[in-house]
């Protein structure tokens, strides 16, 4: 078990596109994924991308407790390697996001409400499915990290960006925390 240091906004590793993983089944990737899961559990987030732990590879993990999911059902800890997403609808929704690389802040970000995702698992198997609501949002947030995009770059109204505690007081902004 290892808890990794999380890169914060401004670090170049968060601005670069991450490289594809050639062989998801090698032990180094499993070890990275396990350390990322430990790091996410320690930080209390719902998703983490490898560039956030200073590794420029296309690996993300997601883990959404039932209490944080808009459907009420949990997403168990899942490792997605070389993930690709595709919008299933033009419909976008705004909701507050946080990011472990932008501590204490939240912002309202428009995201597609329904997406399809496809990735590889640790054995190289294909993992695919459809996601909506909060899960779709988390996947879009994490996949953006792989392309060097942090959520403020997706925002369309920067008045909806601020410190979590201030925003909560001011407009009832709810921290759904990132990712
Ligand atoms: Ni993030």
């Amino acid at each position: 078990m290892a808890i990794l240091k999380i890169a914060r906004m401004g670090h170049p590793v968060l601005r670069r596109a991450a490289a594809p993983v050639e062989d998801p089944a090698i032990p180094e990737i499993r070890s990275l994924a396990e350390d990322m899961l430990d790091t996410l559990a320690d930080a209390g987030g719902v998703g983490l991308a490898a560039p956030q732990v200073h590794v420029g590879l296309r690996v993300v993990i997601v883990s959404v407790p039932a209490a944080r999911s808009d459907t009420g059902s949990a997403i168990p800890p899942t490792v997605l390697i070389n993930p690709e997403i595709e919008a299933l609808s033009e419909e976008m929704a705004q909701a507050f996001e946080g990011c472990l690389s932008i501590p204490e802040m939240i912002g309202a970000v428009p995201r597609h409400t329904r997406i399809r995702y496809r990735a590889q698992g640790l054995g190289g198997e294909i993992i695919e499915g459809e996601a909506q609501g909060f899960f779709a949002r988390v996947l879009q947030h994490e996949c953006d990290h792989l392309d060097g995009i942090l959520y403020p770059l997706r925002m369309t109204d920067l008045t909806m960006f601020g410190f979590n505690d201030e925003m909560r007081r001011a407009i009832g902004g709810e921290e759904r925390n990132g990712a």
Side-chain angles (χ1 to χ4, degrees):
M1 163 164 179
I3 293 171
L4 305 172
K5 186 175 181 200
I6 297 177
R8 291 182 305 160
M9 185 167 70
H11 194 292
V13 73
L14 295 173
R15 294 196 204 129
R16 286 195 284 264
V21 174
E22 305 232 333
D23 182 358
I26 60 174
E28 289 82 356
I29 297 298
R30 177 173 295 274
S31 170
L32 169 67
E34 287 173 355
D35 288 348
M36 286 173 65
L37 289 165
D38 291 340
T39 304
L40 184 66
D42 178 69
V46 294
L48 188 67
Q52 291 183 275
V53 292
H54 305 85
V55 176
L57 291 173
R58 301 186 84 81
V59 177
V60 308
I61 59 168
V62 294
S63 175
V64 182
R68 275 195 168 153
S69 161
D70 55 356
T71 60
S73 51
I75 308 292
T78 304
V79 179
L80 299 173
I81 298 165
N82 300 323
E84 289 174 15
I85 57 178
E86 168 196 356
L88 287 177
S89 142
E90 290 298 307
E91 188 191 359
M92 311 281 282
Q94 293 256 6
F96 281 96
E97 295 182 16
C99 179
L100 296 172
S101 295
I102 313 173
E104 295 178 38
M105 306 203 67
I106 57 169
V109 186
R111 298 286 189 188
H112 292 284
T113 56
R114 291 179 57 233
I115 63 166
R116 185 192 310 279
Y117 62 95
R118 184 181 167 90
Q120 290 167 280
L122 285 170
E125 76 280 15
I126 297 295
I127 298 173
E128 59 189 337
E130 293 183 11
Q132 49 191 324
F134 186 56
F135 185 35
R137 174 172 296 278
V138 173
L139 287 174
Q140 288 168 86
H141 178 118
E142 298 312 330
C143 289
D144 268 355
H145 275 300
L146 302 181
D147 293 325
I149 298 168
L150 298 179
Y151 77 77
L153 296 174
R154 294 288 192 195
M155 291 182 64
T156 50
D157 179 359
L158 285 172
T159 67
M160 300 293 269
F161 184 44
F163 286 95
N164 185 35
D165 52 354
E166 300 288 355
M167 296 294 276
R168 199 187 329 242
R169 266 198 289 271
I171 54 172
E174 179 189 3
E175 185 184 16
R176 309 234 43 183
N177 204 350

